Amino acid sequence: GSSKGGGGECVMHDAAIPATIEPDDCVVRREEEEGKGVINDASIPESIEHGESYPCVKLASVSSLRSRCGIIQRTIPRGGLDISRSDLVFATLRFLYHNVLKNSYDRRERIMASISSMCSLNPSQIAVGSSVRSLFHLYLSAKSYPPGSEVVISPPIEIPTMIDVLKYHGISVRSVDIPPDGKIQVDISTVQKSISKDTVALMIVHPFGLQSISPENLQSLCEWARSKRIDVWEDSAECFSSTHEMSASLSSSRCCVPDICLYSFGMMKTSTALGGGIAIVKDEFVRSKMERLERRWMTASEWDYGRKIIVAWVLTILGSSPWIVGLIVRCCTLFGMDYDSMVTSSLRNYKVKVTTDRDAACKELIRQIEKRPCTTLLATLCRRLGQSKRDNKAVFRRLARCELVSRLVSQHCPNVSLPCYDSCQKNGYWLFPVFVPDSRDEVSKRLLSYGFDVPHGASQLRCTGTTGVDHGIDGSAVDKSSYCPRANAIMKNVLYLPVSSLEMTEYD
């Protein structure tokens, strides 16, 4: 916080109110009349201790004032889609075109060839699918691991449906916790000790856009796994920044790279195409088998993708003004609707009801993901990849913005923790997680009352090593040998600040 002004003028901003002051204790009103103190509640000096009196501060109850007056609170949204309006116009026009003149298979093949060339990789290594889960399902089907196989996953932070796909193929999961120092990274020594005779693969996850292992250590791990005849899978769904970096990370000799590397371009991802995924597969035979298997699938409906375009337009327009977001929050409150659930559900690609019938639920999930990407999606993805070949200025601005907020949180919020990692780990800040000591639901609600949409459900990421907790649609508890208390603790207290995917003013 800071104080400014002259002649006894005091300026306060509520972003830096000491933690000892409860949000409902006071509301500070700006006085513009000459001779009166100007108080703006975001710059309370750090030296001010709770209990001191401020002659120029007028106190009132925030909740009672808003309930009586029906005030619409200016609300900073939880984020924005990384797609421009010109890109949405392109997707809309392509959608309209493809529903009037159906493209031939040759046209589809030309788009696929363009995508391969933009990735600057051998086309025989690249597979394009409707989602990362679809590609993962194809890969597992092509590999045909024996029943009872096991995969070691580290760090144990993943979306539940990826675990569900594994279990559909009869592969069990052994989770390896993050190191005792709390850094979000692969605990290499523990991973190597966790290998059993049934282990067929290591799954390296990069949560929050944070690379959990350095390129050098990943190369060493791949060499070690190759000596044990164990595959290495890399889930980089949240780490895409440009095609240049993607190709550079896989430019090593073939024996030193993961067997499959997955990138997502879903609704919330960097350079989103409102869907789609890319898999870089080391084994050309496996890649060709994946292509043959995919040809048996039906093509996803153009109309389903058209609905995603409509949702993207709505979210882009409504999220462009904090006052519109505040109005939506107010309406949800008046009509008893859950604002967080409404926004979260609008961003989900696959919706499977939680049920005790595991087989039926898994089959429903697989039915939804067994679809080839429609032509409009491929055309949009091709356009976004072409844009990412140039310097992605939005990514640079995001990195600078998140580094600034990291310093501010570290300086002014001693009770809030940030992810710990080594300097050799690259942080792309796809999400900006913070870990709070109190109930994250209560903290989220209190921040929303102050005009900041800070959810805990902005991502589907969950700890895979929790006992007695469902893994998405599966419903089974984790073996205690895979219990990960450190990763579970941070995921139970995580909130996502709306700074990664949202251009914010300096004041906000």
Side-chain angles (χ1 to χ4, degrees):
S2 63
S3 61
K4 57 184 178 180
E9 189 177 66
C10 172
V11 181
M12 300 169 58
H13 304 272
D14 75 299
I17 292 179
T20 52
I21 298 180
E22 295 297 326
D24 282 352
D25 283 348
C26 66
V27 60
V28 187
R29 291 161 33 186
R30 180 184 295 274
E31 300 284 354
E32 300 289 351
E33 298 177 16
E34 184 178 354
K36 293 187 178 181
V38 179
I39 303 184
N40 188 352
D41 39 11
S43 305
I44 296 180
E46 296 179 49
S47 59
I48 295 179
E49 298 292 337
H50 178 60
E52 292 185 13
S53 61
Y54 316 106
C56 51
V57 177
K58 297 185 178 180
L59 301 179
S61 169
V62 173
S63 57
S64 61
L65 178 64
R66 289 175 182 159
S67 62
R68 289 196 306 267
C69 302
I71 295 175
I72 296 175
Q73 170 74 47
R74 180 180 182 272
T75 302
I76 302 298
R78 62 185 59 185
L81 302 184
D82 185 24
I83 188 168
S84 67
R85 299 195 180 192
S86 61
D87 293 324
L88 289 176
V89 169
F90 171 85
T92 303
L93 293 177
R94 295 289 294 199
F95 168 77
L96 295 175
Y97 169 75
H98 290 306
N99 282 276
V100 176
L101 299 174
K102 302 295 183 180
N103 271 356
S104 65
Y105 182 73
D106 290 339
R107 175 61 178 167
R108 180 187 181 90
E109 286 299 293
R110 285 197 296 272
I111 298 176
M112 297 284 284
S114 298
I115 291 175
S116 298
S117 65
M118 287 178 184
C119 294
S120 302
L121 293 169
N122 187 342
S124 62
Q125 293 180 272
I126 297 176
V128 181
S130 57
S131 70
V132 161
R133 279 152 285 194
S134 300
L135 292 167
F136 193 43
H137 173 45
L138 278 172
Y139 178 79
L140 296 178
S141 300
K143 291 290 290 187
S144 299
Y145 292 107
S149 297
E150 178 186 79
V151 59
V152 174
I153 181 170
S154 177
I157 302 173
E158 182 59 280
I159 62 173
T161 46
M162 290 289 281
I163 306 300
D164 296 331
V165 173
L166 281 170
K167 294 191 175 182
Y168 175 82
H169 287 270
I171 301 175
S172 61
V173 176
R174 179 180 294 273
S175 302
V176 175
D177 206 355
I178 59 177
D181 57 10
K183 293 180 179 178
I184 301 179
Q185 59 186 209
V186 177
D187 191 341
I188 297 177
S189 60
T190 306
V191 165
Q192 294 175 337
K193 294 176 183 177
S194 300
I195 302 301
S196 70
K197 61 181 180 61
D198 297 321
T199 303
V200 296
L202 307 179
M203 188 170 186
I204 307 301
V205 183
H206 303 299
F208 316 124
L210 168 64
Q211 289 186 350
S212 58
I213 187 171
S214 66
E216 295 77 14
N217 287 338
L218 177 60
Q219 181 171 318
S220 300
L221 186 61
C222 288
E223 292 175 347
W224 176 85
R226 184 170 178 263
S227 69
K228 302 291 183 180
R229 296 185 178 181
I230 295 174
D231 293 339
V232 177
W233 309 334
E234 188 177 14
D235 186 354
S236 300
E238 300 161 4
C239 293
F240 180 83
S241 59
S242 69
T243 54
H244 172 73
E245 289 197 8
M246 181 174 67
S247 59
S249 64
L250 298 169
S251 61
S252 304
S253 59
R254 293 177 62 85
C255 64
C256 299
V257 297
D259 293 270
I260 184 171
C261 188
L262 298 163
Y263 292 91
S264 175
F265 299 87
M267 185 79 77
M268 300 170 61
K269 299 300 190 295
T270 301
S271 297
T272 176
L274 310 183
I278 290 179
I280 313 299
V281 185
K282 184 171 74 171
D283 191 325
E284 294 182 11
F285 174 77
V286 174
R287 156 65 180 81
S288 62
K289 189 174 181 180
M290 290 171 62
E291 183 178 10
R292 292 195 301 271
L293 290 172
E294 190 193 33
R295 287 179 180 176
R296 303 175 186 174
W297 295 357
M298 64 179 293
T299 302
S301 169
E302 291 278 348
W303 290 99
D304 286 341
Y305 188 71
R307 282 191 285 271
K308 290 184 179 180
I309 296 174
I310 294 174
V311 171
W313 272 115
V314 171
L315 293 176
T316 300
I317 294 172
L318 296 183
S320 62
S321 171
W323 291 107
I324 297 178
V325 178
L327 176 61
I328 295 172
V329 172
R330 183 62 184 169
C331 290
C332 288
T333 302
L334 290 175
F335 293 102
M337 300 170 61
D338 189 338
Y339 168 77
D340 180 67
S341 298
M342 181 185 69
V343 176
T344 302
S345 62
S346 67
L347 300 172
R348 297 290 183 254
N349 285 332
Y350 304 110
K351 300 177 182 179
V352 180
K353 293 183 179 180
V354 177
T355 175
T356 56
D357 189 347
R358 175 180 180 269
D359 293 335
C362 282
K363 288 178 180 178
E364 173 60 21
L365 173 65
I366 297 302
R367 185 191 67 80
Q368 293 185 32
I369 66 176
E370 282 189 342
K371 293 180 180 178
R372 304 173 68 199
C374 66
T375 310
T376 306
L377 169 56
L378 291 175
T380 306
L381 177 58
C382 185
R383 174 184 171 90
R384 300 313 313 277
L385 289 173
Q387 293 170 342
S388 71
K389 292 189 72 173
R390 302 183 292 272
D391 290 339
N392 196 335
K393 295 181 180 179
V395 173
F396 295 147
R397 290 196 301 270
R398 179 177 72 193
L399 295 177
R401 186 168 60 248
C402 290
E403 291 291 349
L404 172 61
V405 175
S406 293
R407 292 193 295 269
L408 292 175
V409 170
S410 299
Q411 293 172 8
H412 302 290
C413 304
N415 293 328
V416 175
S417 302
L418 295 170
C420 298
Y421 54 93
D422 289 330
S423 58
C424 60
Q425 296 175 243
K426 179 183 176 182
N427 194 347
Y429 288 107
W430 174 66
L431 290 174
F432 192 98
V434 294
F435 310 112
V436 296
D438 303 320
S439 169
R440 64 178 184 178
D441 293 334
E442 290 301 319
V443 175
S444 178
K445 290 178 182 178
R446 289 163 63 183
L447 286 171
L448 186 60
S449 71
Y450 272 97
F452 292 92
D453 184 7
V454 181
H456 59 81
S459 170
Q460 299 180 67
L461 291 172
R462 301 289 185 271
C463 177
T464 62
T466 55
T467 56
V469 178
D470 292 352
H471 278 313
I473 65 175
D474 177 59
S476 62
V478 181
D479 182 1
K480 287 188 177 181
S481 63
S482 293
Y483 180 52
C484 303
R486 292 183 290 273
N488 188 42
I490 65 173
M491 293 308 294
K492 285 176 64 177
N493 297 313
V494 67
L495 289 173
Y496 300 101
L497 298 187
V499 295
S500 294
S501 59
L502 188 68
E503 299 284 355
M504 302 177 69
T505 64
E506 185 177 351
Y507 173 80
D508 291 329

mmCIF file of all heavy atoms in Angstrom, residues 212-242:
data_model
loop_
_atom_site.group_PDB
_atom_site.id
_atom_site.type_symbol
_atom_site.label_atom_id
_atom_site.label_comp_id
_atom_site.label_asym_id
_atom_site.label_seq_id
_atom_site.Cartn_x
_atom_site.Cartn_y
_atom_site.Cartn_z
ATOM 1 N N SER A 212 7.468 -28.682 -14.599
ATOM 2 C CA SER A 212 7.805 -29.356 -13.347
ATOM 3 C C SER A 212 9.167 -30.034 -13.377
ATOM 4 O O SER A 212 9.592 -30.611 -12.369
ATOM 5 C CB SER A 212 6.733 -30.399 -13.014
ATOM 6 O OG SER A 212 6.618 -31.349 -14.058
ATOM 7 N N ILE A 213 9.854 -29.967 -14.512
ATOM 8 C CA ILE A 213 11.181 -30.578 -14.624
ATOM 9 C C ILE A 213 11.967 -29.805 -15.678
ATOM 10 O O ILE A 213 11.407 -29.373 -16.686
ATOM 11 C CB ILE A 213 11.060 -32.078 -14.992
ATOM 12 C CG1 ILE A 213 12.419 -32.762 -14.951
ATOM 13 C CG2 ILE A 213 10.388 -32.258 -16.341
ATOM 14 C CD1 ILE A 213 12.341 -34.284 -15.079
ATOM 15 N N SER A 214 13.234 -29.604 -15.423
ATOM 16 C CA SER A 214 14.069 -28.867 -16.371
ATOM 17 C C SER A 214 14.322 -29.736 -17.603
ATOM 18 O O SER A 214 14.260 -30.967 -17.542
ATOM 19 C CB SER A 214 15.393 -28.487 -15.719
ATOM 20 O OG SER A 214 16.167 -29.647 -15.438
ATOM 21 N N PRO A 215 14.614 -29.114 -18.756
ATOM 22 C CA PRO A 215 14.892 -29.898 -19.967
ATOM 23 C C PRO A 215 16.037 -30.895 -19.781
ATOM 24 O O PRO A 215 15.985 -32.010 -20.303
ATOM 25 C CB PRO A 215 15.243 -28.825 -21.002
ATOM 26 C CG PRO A 215 14.542 -27.594 -20.521
ATOM 27 C CD PRO A 215 14.587 -27.670 -19.035
ATOM 28 N N GLU A 216 17.064 -30.507 -19.042
ATOM 29 C CA GLU A 216 18.197 -31.404 -18.823
ATOM 30 C C GLU A 216 17.779 -32.617 -17.999
ATOM 31 O O GLU A 216 18.132 -33.760 -18.327
ATOM 32 C CB GLU A 216 19.332 -30.658 -18.110
ATOM 33 C CG GLU A 216 19.954 -29.539 -18.927
ATOM 34 C CD GLU A 216 19.092 -28.284 -18.950
ATOM 35 O OE1 GLU A 216 18.158 -28.178 -18.123
ATOM 36 O OE2 GLU A 216 19.358 -27.419 -19.812
ATOM 37 N N ASN A 217 17.023 -32.378 -16.909
ATOM 38 C CA ASN A 217 16.581 -33.502 -16.078
ATOM 39 C C ASN A 217 15.581 -34.382 -16.811
ATOM 40 O O ASN A 217 15.555 -35.603 -16.621
ATOM 41 C CB ASN A 217 15.953 -32.980 -14.784
ATOM 42 C CG ASN A 217 16.986 -32.422 -13.825
ATOM 43 O OD1 ASN A 217 18.169 -32.758 -13.905
ATOM 44 N ND2 ASN A 217 16.548 -31.569 -12.915
ATOM 45 N N LEU A 218 14.743 -33.771 -17.662
ATOM 46 C CA LEU A 218 13.795 -34.559 -18.444
ATOM 47 C C LEU A 218 14.533 -35.475 -19.410
ATOM 48 O O LEU A 218 14.172 -36.647 -19.584
ATOM 49 C CB LEU A 218 12.842 -33.640 -19.206
ATOM 50 C CG LEU A 218 11.839 -34.330 -20.132
ATOM 51 C CD1 LEU A 218 10.934 -35.276 -19.361
ATOM 52 C CD2 LEU A 218 10.993 -33.294 -20.887
ATOM 53 N N GLN A 219 15.579 -34.953 -20.028
ATOM 54 C CA GLN A 219 16.362 -35.770 -20.956
ATOM 55 C C GLN A 219 17.017 -36.935 -20.223
ATOM 56 O O GLN A 219 17.013 -38.078 -20.709
ATOM 57 C CB GLN A 219 17.420 -34.904 -21.633
ATOM 58 C CG GLN A 219 18.286 -35.659 -22.633
ATOM 59 C CD GLN A 219 19.169 -34.732 -23.443
ATOM 60 O OE1 GLN A 219 18.734 -33.673 -23.879
ATOM 61 N NE2 GLN A 219 20.413 -35.125 -23.628
ATOM 62 N N SER A 220 17.559 -36.665 -19.032
ATOM 63 C CA SER A 220 18.185 -37.732 -18.246
ATOM 64 C C SER A 220 17.160 -38.777 -17.821
ATOM 65 O O SER A 220 17.442 -39.989 -17.851
ATOM 66 C CB SER A 220 18.874 -37.142 -17.005
ATOM 67 O OG SER A 220 19.882 -36.223 -17.374
ATOM 68 N N LEU A 221 15.966 -38.304 -17.450
ATOM 69 C CA LEU A 221 14.913 -39.232 -17.030
ATOM 70 C C LEU A 221 14.461 -40.103 -18.206
ATOM 71 O O LEU A 221 14.193 -41.297 -18.039
ATOM 72 C CB LEU A 221 13.733 -38.448 -16.450
ATOM 73 C CG LEU A 221 12.594 -39.269 -15.831
ATOM 74 C CD1 LEU A 221 13.108 -40.094 -14.654
ATOM 75 C CD2 LEU A 221 11.461 -38.365 -15.375
ATOM 76 N N CYS A 222 14.378 -39.507 -19.394
ATOM 77 C CA CYS A 222 13.985 -40.280 -20.577
ATOM 78 C C CYS A 222 15.027 -41.352 -20.893
ATOM 79 O O CYS A 222 14.673 -42.488 -21.260
ATOM 80 C CB CYS A 222 13.808 -39.349 -21.776
ATOM 81 S SG CYS A 222 12.335 -38.299 -21.710
ATOM 82 N N GLU A 223 16.298 -41.018 -20.745
ATOM 83 C CA GLU A 223 17.359 -41.995 -20.985
ATOM 84 C C GLU A 223 17.276 -43.135 -19.975
ATOM 85 O O GLU A 223 17.442 -44.309 -20.330
ATOM 86 C CB GLU A 223 18.721 -41.308 -20.926
ATOM 87 C CG GLU A 223 18.973 -40.336 -22.068
ATOM 88 C CD GLU A 223 20.274 -39.578 -21.912
ATOM 89 O OE1 GLU A 223 20.859 -39.625 -20.796
ATOM 90 O OE2 GLU A 223 20.721 -38.940 -22.880
ATOM 91 N N TRP A 224 17.039 -42.782 -18.705
ATOM 92 C CA TRP A 224 16.926 -43.814 -17.667
ATOM 93 C C TRP A 224 15.715 -44.712 -17.933
ATOM 94 O O TRP A 224 15.806 -45.945 -17.814
ATOM 95 C CB TRP A 224 16.800 -43.146 -16.299
ATOM 96 C CG TRP A 224 16.578 -44.121 -15.173
ATOM 97 C CD1 TRP A 224 17.534 -44.809 -14.477
ATOM 98 C CD2 TRP A 224 15.317 -44.528 -14.640
ATOM 99 N NE1 TRP A 224 16.952 -45.610 -13.539
ATOM 100 C CE2 TRP A 224 15.586 -45.458 -13.612
ATOM 101 C CE3 TRP A 224 14.002 -44.198 -14.912
ATOM 102 C CZ2 TRP A 224 14.585 -46.061 -12.871
ATOM 103 C CZ3 TRP A 224 12.991 -44.795 -14.186
ATOM 104 C CH2 TRP A 224 13.274 -45.723 -13.170
ATOM 105 N N ALA A 225 14.568 -44.089 -18.281
ATOM 106 C CA ALA A 225 13.360 -44.864 -18.542
ATOM 107 C C ALA A 225 13.546 -45.780 -19.753
ATOM 108 O O ALA A 225 13.048 -46.921 -19.764
ATOM 109 C CB ALA A 225 12.179 -43.924 -18.775
ATOM 110 N N ARG A 226 14.248 -45.297 -20.758
ATOM 111 C CA ARG A 226 14.490 -46.113 -21.947
ATOM 112 C C ARG A 226 15.310 -47.354 -21.591
ATOM 113 O O ARG A 226 15.075 -48.445 -22.134
ATOM 114 C CB ARG A 226 15.221 -45.280 -23.001
ATOM 115 C CG ARG A 226 15.453 -45.999 -24.324
ATOM 116 C CD ARG A 226 15.947 -45.000 -25.372
ATOM 117 N NE ARG A 226 16.226 -45.664 -26.637
ATOM 118 C CZ ARG A 226 17.429 -46.067 -27.028
ATOM 119 N NH1 ARG A 226 18.472 -45.873 -26.222
ATOM 120 N NH2 ARG A 226 17.603 -46.648 -28.197
ATOM 121 N N SER A 227 16.261 -47.193 -20.685
ATOM 122 C CA SER A 227 17.056 -48.348 -20.254
ATOM 123 C C SER A 227 16.221 -49.374 -19.507
ATOM 124 O O SER A 227 16.570 -50.556 -19.455
ATOM 125 C CB SER A 227 18.219 -47.882 -19.374
ATOM 126 O OG SER A 227 17.756 -47.384 -18.128
ATOM 127 N N LYS A 228 15.102 -48.919 -18.913
ATOM 128 C CA LYS A 228 14.199 -49.816 -18.187
ATOM 129 C C LYS A 228 13.025 -50.271 -19.049
ATOM 130 O O LYS A 228 12.125 -50.956 -18.564
ATOM 131 C CB LYS A 228 13.648 -49.106 -16.941
ATOM 132 C CG LYS A 228 14.705 -48.613 -15.960
ATOM 133 C CD LYS A 228 15.402 -49.772 -15.273
ATOM 134 C CE LYS A 228 16.399 -49.267 -14.245
ATOM 135 N NZ LYS A 228 17.098 -50.386 -13.561
ATOM 136 N N ARG A 229 13.022 -49.839 -20.329
ATOM 137 C CA ARG A 229 11.933 -50.142 -21.260
ATOM 138 C C ARG A 229 10.597 -49.614 -20.743
ATOM 139 O O ARG A 229 9.567 -50.277 -20.773
ATOM 140 C CB ARG A 229 11.838 -51.647 -21.524
ATOM 141 C CG ARG A 229 13.070 -52.207 -22.219
ATOM 142 C CD ARG A 229 12.893 -53.665 -22.583
ATOM 143 N NE ARG A 229 14.081 -54.166 -23.294
ATOM 144 C CZ ARG A 229 14.193 -55.413 -23.751
ATOM 145 N NH1 ARG A 229 13.205 -56.277 -23.546
ATOM 146 N NH2 ARG A 229 15.291 -55.782 -24.389
ATOM 147 N N ILE A 230 10.655 -48.399 -20.244
ATOM 148 C CA ILE A 230 9.465 -47.707 -19.732
ATOM 149 C C ILE A 230 9.245 -46.466 -20.578
ATOM 150 O O ILE A 230 10.194 -45.714 -20.863
ATOM 151 C CB ILE A 230 9.643 -47.331 -18.240
ATOM 152 C CG1 ILE A 230 9.751 -48.588 -17.381
ATOM 153 C CG2 ILE A 230 8.492 -46.456 -17.758
ATOM 154 C CD1 ILE A 230 10.075 -48.299 -15.930
ATOM 155 N N ASP A 231 8.009 -46.226 -20.987
ATOM 156 C CA ASP A 231 7.683 -45.041 -21.777
ATOM 157 C C ASP A 231 7.612 -43.807 -20.883
ATOM 158 O O ASP A 231 7.399 -43.909 -19.660
ATOM 159 C CB ASP A 231 6.342 -45.216 -22.492
ATOM 160 C CG ASP A 231 6.402 -46.292 -23.573
ATOM 161 O OD1 ASP A 231 7.517 -46.610 -24.029
ATOM 162 O OD2 ASP A 231 5.333 -46.808 -23.957
ATOM 163 N N VAL A 232 7.775 -42.643 -21.494
ATOM 164 C CA VAL A 232 7.626 -41.358 -20.794
ATOM 165 C C VAL A 232 6.578 -40.539 -21.533
ATOM 166 O O VAL A 232 6.698 -40.313 -22.740
ATOM 167 C CB VAL A 232 8.961 -40.587 -20.729
ATOM 168 C CG1 VAL A 232 8.747 -39.227 -20.059
ATOM 169 C CG2 VAL A 232 10.010 -41.390 -19.975
ATOM 170 N N TRP A 233 5.552 -40.127 -20.804
ATOM 171 C CA TRP A 233 4.504 -39.269 -21.361
ATOM 172 C C TRP A 233 4.635 -37.894 -20.732
ATOM 173 O O TRP A 233 4.839 -37.747 -19.522
ATOM 174 C CB TRP A 233 3.103 -39.806 -21.046
ATOM 175 C CG TRP A 233 2.894 -41.251 -21.380
ATOM 176 C CD1 TRP A 233 3.547 -41.998 -22.309
ATOM 177 C CD2 TRP A 233 1.944 -42.133 -20.758
ATOM 178 N NE1 TRP A 233 3.069 -43.285 -22.331
ATOM 179 C CE2 TRP A 233 2.077 -43.397 -21.397
ATOM 180 C CE3 TRP A 233 0.979 -41.990 -19.767
ATOM 181 C CZ2 TRP A 233 1.304 -44.498 -21.040
ATOM 182 C CZ3 TRP A 233 0.208 -43.083 -19.405
ATOM 183 C CH2 TRP A 233 0.370 -44.313 -20.047
ATOM 184 N N GLU A 234 4.494 -36.871 -21.537
ATOM 185 C CA GLU A 234 4.589 -35.492 -21.037
ATOM 186 C C GLU A 234 3.277 -34.763 -21.311
ATOM 187 O O GLU A 234 2.895 -34.577 -22.468
ATOM 188 C CB GLU A 234 5.748 -34.754 -21.701
ATOM 189 C CG GLU A 234 6.011 -33.384 -21.092
ATOM 190 C CD GLU A 234 7.208 -32.695 -21.718
ATOM 191 O OE1 GLU A 234 7.665 -33.148 -22.783
ATOM 192 O OE2 GLU A 234 7.681 -31.702 -21.141
ATOM 193 N N ASP A 235 2.590 -34.387 -20.244
ATOM 194 C CA ASP A 235 1.343 -33.631 -20.372
ATOM 195 C C ASP A 235 1.679 -32.144 -20.295
ATOM 196 O O ASP A 235 1.793 -31.565 -19.216
ATOM 197 C CB ASP A 235 0.368 -34.026 -19.266
ATOM 198 C CG ASP A 235 -1.005 -33.378 -19.433
ATOM 199 O OD1 ASP A 235 -1.143 -32.526 -20.348
ATOM 200 O OD2 ASP A 235 -1.933 -33.694 -18.672
ATOM 201 N N SER A 236 1.822 -31.545 -21.477
ATOM 202 C CA SER A 236 2.118 -30.110 -21.575
ATOM 203 C C SER A 236 0.892 -29.333 -22.022
ATOM 204 O O SER A 236 1.014 -28.303 -22.699
ATOM 205 C CB SER A 236 3.270 -29.880 -22.563
ATOM 206 O OG SER A 236 4.438 -30.543 -22.153
ATOM 207 N N ALA A 237 -0.281 -29.829 -21.646
ATOM 208 C CA ALA A 237 -1.538 -29.221 -22.101
ATOM 209 C C ALA A 237 -1.630 -27.750 -21.742
ATOM 210 O O ALA A 237 -2.266 -26.971 -22.457
ATOM 211 C CB ALA A 237 -2.735 -29.986 -21.518
ATOM 212 N N GLU A 238 -0.983 -27.339 -20.649
ATOM 213 C CA GLU A 238 -1.108 -25.971 -20.154
ATOM 214 C C GLU A 238 0.142 -25.141 -20.417
ATOM 215 O O GLU A 238 0.271 -24.033 -19.883
ATOM 216 C CB GLU A 238 -1.411 -26.009 -18.652
ATOM 217 C CG GLU A 238 -2.703 -26.762 -18.340
ATOM 218 C CD GLU A 238 -2.784 -27.214 -16.895
ATOM 219 O OE1 GLU A 238 -1.876 -26.873 -16.123
ATOM 220 O OE2 GLU A 238 -3.749 -27.918 -16.554
ATOM 221 N N CYS A 239 1.057 -25.655 -21.225
ATOM 222 C CA CYS A 239 2.359 -25.008 -21.386
ATOM 223 C C CYS A 239 2.610 -24.417 -22.756
ATOM 224 O O CYS A 239 3.702 -23.897 -23.003
ATOM 225 C CB CYS A 239 3.475 -26.005 -21.065
ATOM 226 S SG CYS A 239 3.532 -26.496 -19.343
ATOM 227 N N PHE A 240 1.649 -24.492 -23.669
ATOM 228 C CA PHE A 240 1.910 -23.971 -25.007
ATOM 229 C C PHE A 240 2.048 -22.452 -24.963
ATOM 230 O O PHE A 240 1.254 -21.753 -24.349
ATOM 231 C CB PHE A 240 0.778 -24.341 -25.966
ATOM 232 C CG PHE A 240 0.994 -23.825 -27.364
ATOM 233 C CD1 PHE A 240 1.780 -24.523 -28.256
ATOM 234 C CD2 PHE A 240 0.432 -22.617 -27.773
ATOM 235 C CE1 PHE A 240 2.006 -24.043 -29.538
ATOM 236 C CE2 PHE A 240 0.645 -22.125 -29.053
ATOM 237 C CZ PHE A 240 1.431 -22.851 -29.938
ATOM 238 N N SER A 241 3.091 -21.952 -25.649
ATOM 239 C CA SER A 241 3.257 -20.501 -25.790
ATOM 240 C C SER A 241 3.497 -20.114 -27.243
ATOM 241 O O SER A 241 3.031 -19.072 -27.695
ATOM 242 C CB SER A 241 4.413 -20.003 -24.916
ATOM 243 O OG SER A 241 5.632 -20.647 -25.266
ATOM 244 N N SER A 242 4.234 -20.961 -27.987
ATOM 245 C CA SER A 242 4.471 -20.704 -29.403
ATOM 246 C C SER A 242 4.930 -21.993 -30.069
ATOM 247 O O SER A 242 5.440 -22.905 -29.403
ATOM 248 C CB SER A 242 5.530 -19.608 -29.593
ATOM 249 O OG SER A 242 6.803 -20.072 -29.181
#
